[in-house]
Amino acid sequence: MTRIWIEEYAVTGDLGRLFGHFLDMDESIKTAYLINPSDGDECVSPTKKILFEFLEHRNEIPLYLYFSDEYILREQHQQFFQQQNIDYTIQTVYPSREHHLDPLLYFTVELKNKETLRRVVRETYWLGEEYVFYVISNNDNLKFIFEERRH
């Protein structure tokens, strides 16, 4: 039997560390959910199914999907969203010149209804499976900046 771990977190300024990213969050975001397989379980497909059920049960539309383009698939993602008539934006973040890093691209996709949610998550969920930055929110308020942190 596959088991799924869903944990609700009260949002604090350093919550992003739990997700493997540094995220500064303002007071408007009160709660976050972490959905993962239980230790030792192989459950990519069941996790996706439970994610759909969880989001549909919460019934908060529109939703916003944010993900980074770590695999440099911008054109493929854009083509999919355009063919499906799905609204999206791309934010480009330019690291400081001293590091000579390529710009980082982040997609924001508006999920206006349950059908769009299903189509987009079916197409992009593999990114989350690959530990690429992949967040679904009921607020369109994530902004991306490059900043050095010491920890």
Side-chain angles (χ1 to χ4, degrees):
M1 171 185 241
T2 300
R3 293 176 293 162
I4 303 295
W5 172 34
I6 300 175
E7 190 164 349
E8 180 178 286
Y9 288 96
V11 172
T12 62
D14 63 351
L15 178 69
R17 292 180 191 189
L18 294 172
F19 301 119
H21 299 272
F22 286 100
L23 304 173
D24 289 325
M25 299 184 188
D26 64 23
E27 299 297 319
S28 68
I29 301 174
K30 305 289 185 208
T31 307
Y33 297 91
L34 180 62
I35 301 175
N36 269 336
S38 295
D39 290 337
D41 284 339
E42 293 288 332
C43 62
V44 167
S45 293
T47 302
K48 183 168 36 174
K49 180 180 183 288
I50 289 174
L51 174 63
F52 283 133
E53 292 172 1
F54 175 76
L55 292 173
E56 288 179 354
H57 173 74
R58 294 198 34 94
N59 198 27
E60 295 182 14
I61 297 289
L63 293 170
Y64 300 89
L65 168 64
Y66 302 89
F67 64 90
S68 62
D69 186 27
E70 290 184 19
Y71 292 111
I72 312 170
L73 300 173
R74 177 182 182 161
E75 290 179 10
Q76 289 91 328
H77 294 310
Q78 287 179 298
Q79 183 179 22
F80 172 77
F81 297 137
Q82 290 167 358
Q83 287 173 345
Q84 300 293 318
N85 198 26
I86 296 171
D87 293 335
Y88 70 95
T89 59
I90 298 173
Q91 184 175 351
T92 305
V93 177
Y94 296 95
S96 61
R97 293 177 189 247
E98 68 187 64
H99 297 291
H100 303 290
L101 298 174
D102 292 329
L104 307 169
L105 297 177
Y106 292 91
F107 279 80
T108 302
V109 183
E110 186 175 6
L111 308 170
K112 295 180 181 180
N113 54 52
K114 290 178 183 180
E115 181 55 36
T116 302
L117 167 68
R118 285 189 174 274
R119 283 186 284 153
V120 170
V121 172
R122 277 190 198 116
E123 180 73 17
T124 62
Y125 189 76
W126 68 273
L127 295 164
E129 295 168 356
E130 294 286 322
Y131 299 104
V132 170
F133 180 78
Y134 190 88
V135 171
I136 298 173
S137 175
N138 60 343
N139 293 304
D140 182 18
N141 60 359
L142 288 185
K143 304 294 179 242
F144 303 94
I145 59 172
F146 184 83
E147 199 174 88
E148 288 191 34
R149 298 263 178 134
R150 293 180 192 255
H151 58 91

